[in-house]
């Protein structure tokens, strides 16, 4: 018998000072049985960082040809493809052909990945790559609960994530920006 996804009820209060986006969002996020807390956390952060009313979660690990999140137009065209983790250059290039805007939110030890992959995708004019700081991201992942209420504030490239008890500062590393 296959393991079932675990639902997480997520409430985000998004204050993106850099883009002028201020929203309260409630979503249910399915966590695949093989998904780590770090990946789930990065998907939730990506929702806040790239928020748009049409941005939605893809089917995740169960469907490798889909983005972690994507923004679809009303006629079903992909407008923004968002990946999390450390996708290979081929996947990034392929997604850049499918969408006019592509973003990658990298996490974990990105130093080697950055050296291998970033140099192969610098020619893409529709690509943004951001990286989460490893230690602060791990601390944030430890705050996960099945019912989650986080405040996300982005200002001057620094993301502040808070819950009822604490606030974590995540300075975003810009690896590539159009």
């Amino acid at each position: 018998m296959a393991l079932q996804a675990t639902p997480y009820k997520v409430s985000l209060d998004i204050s993106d000072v850099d883009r002028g986006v201020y929203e309260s969002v409630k979503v249910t996020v399915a966590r695949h049985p093989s998904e780590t807390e770090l990946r789930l956390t990065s998907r939730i952060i990506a929702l806040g960082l790239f928020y748009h009313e049409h941005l939605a979660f893809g089917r995740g690990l169960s469907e490798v040809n889909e983005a972690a999140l994507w923004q679809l137009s009303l006629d079903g065209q992909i407008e923004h493809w968002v990946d999390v983790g450390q996708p290979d250059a081929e996947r990034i290039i392929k997604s850049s052909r499918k969408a006019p805007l592509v973003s990658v939110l990298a996490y974990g030890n990105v130093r080697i990945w950055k050296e291998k992959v970033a140099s192969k995708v610098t020619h893409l004019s529709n690509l943004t790559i951001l990286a989460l700081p490893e230690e602060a991201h791990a601390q944030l992942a430890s705050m996960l609960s099945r019912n989650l209420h986080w405040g996300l504030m982005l200002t001057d490239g620094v993301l502040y994530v808070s819950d009822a008890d604490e606030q974590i500062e995540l300075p975003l590393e810009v690896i590539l920006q159009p």
Side-chain angles (χ1 to χ4, degrees):
M1 186 166 109
L3 295 174
Q4 297 294 316
T6 305
Y8 282 71
K9 302 244 184 240
V10 177
S11 177
L12 298 177
D13 294 323
I14 302 167
S15 298
D16 187 338
V17 177
D18 296 345
R19 292 190 305 147
V21 174
Y22 305 94
E23 292 289 335
S24 290
V25 179
K26 291 183 181 194
V27 294
T28 299
V29 182
R31 180 179 176 185
H32 190 275
S34 65
E35 185 173 31
T36 66
E37 290 177 339
L38 289 173
R39 187 173 191 286
L40 177 63
T41 305
S42 65
R43 288 195 303 137
I44 294 168
I45 291 171
L47 177 65
L49 285 177
F50 305 112
Y51 180 76
H52 184 278
E53 64 182 327
H54 296 132
L55 187 65
F57 291 102
R59 288 183 278 194
L61 295 173
S62 62
E63 183 55 57
V64 295
N65 292 324
E66 287 188 11
L69 296 103
W70 50 15
Q71 176 184 323
L72 300 176
S73 65
L74 295 176
D75 65 352
Q77 299 296 311
I78 302 170
E79 295 178 330
H80 189 177
W81 179 287
V82 180
D83 259 334
V84 298
Q86 298 179 13
D88 60 28
E90 183 180 319
R91 179 176 171 85
I92 294 171
I93 292 167
K94 192 184 239 183
S95 62
S96 75
R97 293 181 189 136
K98 294 179 181 178
L101 185 57
V102 176
S103 301
V104 175
L105 183 60
Y107 66 88
N109 186 350
V110 298
R111 187 181 57 81
I112 295 171
W113 173 81
K114 187 169 49 170
E115 292 170 7
K116 270 184 12 186
V117 174
S119 64
K120 295 178 183 175
V121 296
T122 55
H123 66 283
L124 299 174
S125 61
N126 62 340
L127 175 64
T128 298
I129 301 176
L130 304 174
L132 294 169
E134 197 170 359
E135 189 176 310
H137 184 211
Q139 185 182 359
L140 185 62
S142 71
M143 294 169 49
L144 271 179
S145 66
R146 296 278 304 279
N147 289 305
L148 192 63
H149 188 158
W150 282 351
L152 274 66
M153 184 176 80
L154 181 66
T155 183
D156 295 329
V158 178
L159 178 66
Y160 300 90
V161 181
S162 58
D163 66 4
D165 300 320
E166 62 184 307
Q167 177 174 298
I168 297 175
E169 181 178 324
L170 297 111
L172 300 171
E173 177 187 355
V174 177
I175 296 173
L176 187 65
Q177 204 166 29

